[in-house]
Amino acid sequence: MAELSQLVSKWLEFDRNPVTRAEIQGLRDSGNIQELESRMRHRIEFGTAGLRGRMEAGWARMNDLIIIQASQGLAAYVIKQVPDALSRGVVIGHDHRHNSEQWAKLTAAAFLAKDVKVYLLRGLVHTPMVPFSVKRLRAACGVMITASHNPKQDNGYKVYWENAVQIIEPHDGGISESIKANLTPDTWDTSNVTSSSLSVDITQEMHDAYFTSLSSLLVDRQMNRTTSVRFVNTSMHGVSDPYVKRAFETFGFAPYIPVKEQQQPDPEFPTVRFPNPEEKGALDLALAAAEREGISYVLAQDPDSDRFSGAERDSNGTWTVFTGDQLGSLFASHILKTYKSTGKPLDKLAMVASTVSSKMIEAMAEVEGFKFAQCLTGFKYIGNTGLDLVKAGYEVPFGYEEAIGFMFGDQIRDKDGVAATMTFVQLVATLNAQGKTLKGHLQGLYEKYGYFQTNNGYFICNDPPTIDRIFARIRNFDSSTSPSYPKQIAGLSITSIVDLTTGYDSTNPPTYKPSLPLSSGHMIQFRAQNSSAMKIVLTTRTSGTEPKIKYYLEGSGKDNEAVKVLLVQVIQELGDVWLEASKHGLGKS
């Protein structure tokens, strides 16, 4: 208990925010040990996405003091690691969430206190503006204050390295250690963050440059001006509306119909429980607005506008809300067609997707002759994989992950909801001019490259040792050899195994070392097929934040219905035989 008392005392010594200081003082005075344990015992971890969590007082939460400490540690680390960091500076942006503007200013103040030039983007910006500006300005790093599509109680601190990509190893660990070495707050004063001679306002210049860069995705302005297709757009109470409006003007499209209830930035997100276009019901207002207006296409960006979702209504009035994998395949086909029209050699084209995303682009690459690369989940890996491919002589105009994140062009190696929106809109206009629909076009892609279906979910297990035992059994399924993973599932023969926990890849003899980085948790990917050329890719992994064993399952083949049946059989055997769900009392979703 003395240790907890010391943690509380140190907080009260450091914190100068009267609201959060009073929170901890009140919990101590009332003897609320349980809440103090939750907030004070473990410090919020600085990981590969920076910081993200609930906005409350305490070492385990997001608040002024945590932001100051993180910024001091980051600044010290960047100065040490990046040449000319003082003059190259830091780009800082923020969204509309509670505390976002204040935390952007505190971040700026921490860097200014160490004589680092600060490019503080004025007003609300979408997340892609930060990596775009880091690249354009050759800044030493970038910070975006946002919690993306998290609930309203959360906020976050996302860091980009000098290569304008989200930080990866070893920088995440290095920054974490630097934060711990710089815990004493140097300054709480934000009065000079815009007036300092080291604070430079390039906001309008960066916005103009962004839209100039975005126009590289423009295919046919004349077609855009004459198309009869109209769109409804929702910004999900976030920051995207001004960006999408200007993009429509830049590309020559007639104005879209906004979902007025969700058009303006609102940190309370009053019309949605979770401001995530993927969540059930999140697009209800947009679909209803489209119905009223007689419009067949809906566009949606998440609150910080780095992710995108789209929907299409068919002639029967039925809506298709495309999955991230379906959108990824549609976008890849559009990028491929555009690239072919340039006459460039296809063997110099590359596309990237995360390991848990669809393998349809991989099938496209095998047929068309371009390179496909997969990487670990997250745009920190997608972006860096893209940069590595560029160094190897490839052009990488597209990358994606199934969680509706899409990367376009060479100026932003991160997901961009506005770029995805305009690619979607142009694809719709092009197909409409040919008398086609997105759903019909997707069907044509399936017929050419094979039917791909996904069925993702998870099993709930609240006991970490049980999870460890389950994965240990999978790795020793047949005790006659070691390692001895399962050899079949649902009548399909296992053809390859990549275990990113132990570092084993069955396809890479004689070392059997995987090309992908290892995972901090359990993660194994299996590929299997049968004599009818039906294939599956099954990835099982643990969650870093939830008591879950997640599975990502995709099947492919020439018979759509047969693939659908196969996926059900695989999940059944995964739960009953591989994971022994009944024996371990695993919940299913």
Side-chain angles (χ1 to χ4, degrees):
M1 194 56 64
E3 182 184 352
L4 179 61
S5 176
Q6 291 169 2
L7 291 170
V8 171
S9 296
K10 182 60 68 173
W11 180 274
L12 295 176
E13 175 189 344
F14 280 173
D15 190 10
R16 296 185 192 174
N17 181 309
V19 175
T20 50
R21 195 177 191 284
E23 281 184 43
I24 300 303
Q25 184 73 57
L27 291 172
R28 185 175 75 169
D29 292 347
S30 64
N32 193 338
I33 301 302
Q34 182 177 357
E35 185 66 15
L36 284 173
E37 284 283 353
S38 173
R39 296 197 194 191
M40 305 301 286
R41 178 65 68 183
H42 300 290
R43 183 179 183 85
I44 188 170
E45 292 187 14
F46 190 96
T48 49
L51 300 166
R52 189 178 295 187
R54 190 179 182 91
M55 292 179 280
E56 286 181 325
W59 302 118
R61 303 293 195 261
M62 294 293 295
N63 46 67
D64 286 8
L65 180 53
I66 290 295
I67 294 297
I68 291 171
Q69 293 176 329
S71 299
Q72 291 176 173
L74 175 62
Y77 183 80
V78 169
I79 291 169
K80 183 178 179 180
Q81 294 287 327
V82 180
D84 303 317
L86 297 181
S87 58
R88 290 173 63 182
V90 57
V91 175
I92 302 170
H94 67 84
D95 67 8
H96 65 302
R97 286 178 179 262
H98 293 300
N99 296 311
S100 283
E101 182 177 6
Q102 168 67 3
W103 290 353
K105 290 180 178 179
L106 285 172
T107 302
F111 275 85
L112 289 171
K114 294 185 181 297
D115 296 322
V116 180
K117 182 187 293 185
V118 167
Y119 298 102
L120 177 61
L121 298 173
R122 311 300 201 257
L124 307 181
V125 300
H126 75 331
T127 290
M129 278 301 302
V130 170
F132 175 82
S133 300
V134 170
K135 178 179 176 64
R136 183 57 61 102
L137 297 166
R138 289 192 68 253
C141 71
V143 176
M144 178 67 189
I145 307 296
T146 180
S148 189
H149 53 278
N150 275 37
K152 66 180 182 180
Q153 298 88 356
D154 292 356
N155 212 332
Y157 186 98
K158 180 178 288 190
V159 178
Y160 294 86
W161 198 237
E162 62 172 327
N163 63 357
V165 180
Q166 294 178 45
I167 55 167
I168 58 171
E169 308 83 353
H171 297 307
D172 55 346
I175 294 168
S176 180
E177 291 304 310
S178 184
I179 291 171
K180 294 173 185 176
N182 290 273
L183 294 178
T184 303
D186 289 334
T187 180
W188 289 79
D189 184 9
T190 62
S191 61
N192 73 328
V193 296
T194 57
S195 60
S196 168
S197 60
L198 289 175
S199 182
V200 183
D201 181 7
I202 39 72
T203 309
Q204 190 60 52
E205 177 186 338
M206 288 299 101
H207 273 100
D208 292 343
Y210 169 78
F211 283 101
T212 297
S213 173
L214 188 69
S215 64
S216 66
L217 302 178
L218 178 62
V219 176
D220 188 340
R221 192 189 306 272
Q222 183 57 36
M223 180 191 66
N224 297 348
R225 287 173 175 165
T226 58
T227 184
S228 61
V229 184
R230 293 294 179 265
F231 301 87
V232 164
N233 186 76
T234 175
S235 55
M236 207 66 65
H237 298 296
V239 302
S240 70
D241 190 70
Y243 286 92
V244 180
K245 181 180 179 181
R246 182 169 174 181
F248 262 63
E249 293 170 352
T250 300
F251 280 63
F253 284 101
Y256 55 83
I257 302 295
V259 179
K260 292 190 179 298
E261 301 95 324
Q262 299 174 330
Q263 185 178 10
Q264 299 303 317
D266 189 335
E268 289 297 311
F269 305 105
T271 68
V272 286
R273 184 181 177 190
F274 294 104
N276 179 353
E278 289 184 297
E279 289 289 335
K280 184 177 180 180
L283 297 183
D284 285 354
L285 285 175
L287 298 177
E291 294 275 4
R292 288 195 307 270
E293 299 289 341
I295 291 174
S296 296
Y297 291 93
V298 162
L299 316 167
Q301 304 82 36
D302 70 339
D304 70 326
S305 193
D306 64 351
R307 305 202 311 163
F308 167 80
S309 182
E312 176 184 66
R313 184 174 58 170
D314 63 25
S315 58
N316 296 322
T318 302
W319 283 99
T320 297
V321 179
F322 296 101
T323 67
D325 281 325
Q326 290 172 331
L327 289 170
S329 298
L330 288 166
F331 289 151
S333 73
H334 173 79
I335 295 296
L336 176 61
K337 180 181 178 181
T338 303
Y339 188 89
K340 281 182 174 180
S341 69
T342 66
K344 297 176 184 177
L346 276 175
D347 62 358
K348 291 301 181 183
L349 169 66
M351 299 191 199
V352 184
S354 63
T355 56
V356 299
S357 299
S358 173
K359 299 302 178 283
M360 188 165 178
I361 300 182
E362 183 178 68
M364 286 184 186
E366 291 173 355
V367 172
E368 303 289 350
F370 65 87
K371 183 176 180 61
F372 169 77
Q374 68 171 353
C375 59
L376 292 182
T377 302
F379 267 84
K380 60 189 178 182
Y381 295 116
I382 293 173
N384 277 290
T385 299
L387 291 181
D388 290 342
L389 287 166
V390 170
K391 291 178 183 177
Y394 292 95
E395 189 170 340
V396 189
F398 181 64
Y400 93 100
E401 64 181 4
E402 48 81 34
I404 60 172
F406 310 98
M407 174 184 79
F408 297 91
D410 62 359
Q411 294 302 302
I412 299 178
R413 294 301 180 184
D414 201 25
K415 52 189 180 290
D416 185 347
V418 177
T421 298
M422 300 318 299
T423 303
F424 183 91
V425 168
Q426 289 187 106
L427 180 55
V428 167
T430 299
L431 292 172
N432 181 261
Q434 301 168 2
K436 299 178 181 179
T437 64
L438 278 173
K439 191 174 181 180
H441 181 55
L442 186 60
Q443 179 67 22
L445 296 177
Y446 288 148
E447 291 172 0
K448 183 174 183 180
Y449 303 113
Y451 287 91
F452 287 75
Q453 291 188 41
T454 57
N455 194 332
N456 303 331
Y458 56 85
F459 291 86
I460 300 171
C461 182
N462 290 294
D463 183 45
T466 297
I467 293 178
D468 291 338
R469 285 193 296 271
I470 288 172
F471 276 92
R473 179 174 175 271
I474 291 175
R475 294 184 176 102
N476 296 276
F477 214 72
D478 176 2
S479 58
S480 63
T481 60
S482 182
S484 56
Y485 300 87
K487 294 180 174 59
Q488 63 178 15
I489 189 167
L492 280 70
S493 298
I494 304 294
T495 57
S496 74
I497 302 156
V498 179
D499 191 331
L500 292 179
T501 306
T502 64
Y504 172 77
D505 183 347
S506 67
T507 68
N508 191 31
T511 64
Y512 296 100
K513 297 296 184 183
S515 59
L516 296 174
L518 298 187
S519 172
S520 58
H522 293 290
M523 184 173 182
I524 313 174
Q525 183 175 92
F526 299 86
R527 293 196 183 215
Q529 70 179 73
N530 62 15
S531 58
S532 301
M534 292 180 65
K535 301 178 181 179
I536 66 153
V537 179
L538 170 63
T539 302
T540 58
R541 72 176 181 91
T542 50
S543 170
T545 58
E546 300 169 297
K548 296 176 180 178
I549 299 174
K550 294 185 175 183
Y551 62 86
Y552 301 83
L553 174 63
E554 181 175 53
S556 61
K558 292 298 183 182
D559 186 330
N560 192 32
E561 287 303 313
V563 171
K564 186 182 298 184
V565 171
L566 175 63
L567 295 185
V568 174
Q569 295 172 342
V570 171
I571 294 170
Q572 188 71 38
E573 187 165 333
L574 171 67
D576 292 347
V577 181
W578 287 23
L579 304 183
E580 297 182 306
S582 296
K583 173 183 175 180
H584 297 295
L586 306 183
K588 173 75 167 57
S589 177

